[in-house]
Amino acid sequence: MSSDHAAWTLRREIPSDTTIGSELVDELLAAMTEREWPSADLFRTQLAYQEAIVNAIRHGNHSDPDKTVTVEMSCDDQRATITITDQGDGFDPNDVPDPRSDELLEVPGGRGVLLINEIMNEVAYNDRGNQIKMTKIKGANPPADEDDDE
């Protein structure tokens, strides 16, 4: 059943540049594909990564070219983990308003944290709030909403 590939890992410190940040996920997706992860897991992992890296660069580091973001990723046959750390002041994820509330429905932005929590299996922040650790478990996707008949 399992092909028992060795765990794949990557650790990079990158500048506060969303283009560079976005390219890194391709290596993780290749490692997951090699380990025969389902396409739905690849999509969800890529989406969560993109949201988190953009948040770290834009909101954490305020796109400051003198600040960096550390990206750590690992993948084996059952788990993919992404840790992203910025050099910003951090935030309290509990203070992020729910973008589904009536007064925020038409406000752009503010959906990344909610989205990440919905599509990843485990999400944790450090005490300072400048690091996110996200884990995807192979084949274990949150239940779809009732109106999601795909």
Side-chain angles (χ1 to χ4, degrees), residues 70-91:
T70 302
V71 178
E72 298 172 80
M73 299 186 277
S74 64
C75 169
D76 60 26
D77 288 339
Q78 295 303 317
R79 296 173 76 84
T81 302
I82 301 167
T83 304
I84 297 174
T85 309
D86 62 59
Q87 293 182 320
D89 295 331
F91 79 111

Side-chain angles (χ1 to χ4, degrees), residues 54-103:
V54 167
N55 285 349
I57 291 168
R58 289 191 184 153
H59 302 295
N61 286 352
H62 302 288
S63 300
D64 182 340
D66 294 328
K67 292 184 177 179
T68 60
V69 175
T70 302
V71 178
E72 298 172 80
M73 299 186 277
S74 64
C75 169
D76 60 26
D77 288 339
Q78 295 303 317
R79 296 173 76 84
T81 302
I82 301 167
T83 304
I84 297 174
T85 309
D86 62 59
Q87 293 182 320
D89 295 331
F91 79 111
D92 183 345
N94 297 315
D95 289 344
V96 176
D98 187 338
R100 298 169 294 187
S101 64
D102 289 341
E103 64 273 11

Side-chain angles (χ1 to χ4, degrees), residues 6-74:
W8 171 90
T9 60
L10 174 139
R11 184 182 194 282
R12 295 259 170 79
E13 189 171 319
I14 62 167
S16 294
D17 180 326
T18 54
T19 303
I20 295 168
S22 293
E23 292 170 356
L24 279 184
V25 75
D26 292 341
E27 295 183 53
L28 174 60
L29 297 175
M32 292 171 74
T33 299
E34 183 180 315
R35 288 157 182 80
E36 300 176 358
W37 279 65
S39 60
D41 288 349
L42 297 175
F43 175 78
R44 288 179 170 97
T45 301
Q46 180 176 21
L47 188 57
Y49 173 86
Q50 295 291 359
E51 290 291 336
I53 197 73
V54 167
N55 285 349
I57 291 168
R58 289 191 184 153
H59 302 295
N61 286 352
H62 302 288
S63 300
D64 182 340
D66 294 328
K67 292 184 177 179
T68 60
V69 175
T70 302
V71 178
E72 298 172 80
M73 299 186 277
S74 64

Side-chain angles (χ1 to χ4, degrees), residues 37 41 78-80 120-122 135-141:
W37 279 65
D41 288 349
Q78 295 303 317
R79 296 173 76 84
M120 295 299 276
N121 298 102
E122 299 167 12
T135 301
K136 188 82 193 128
I137 299 170
K138 188 178 194 175
N141 291 313

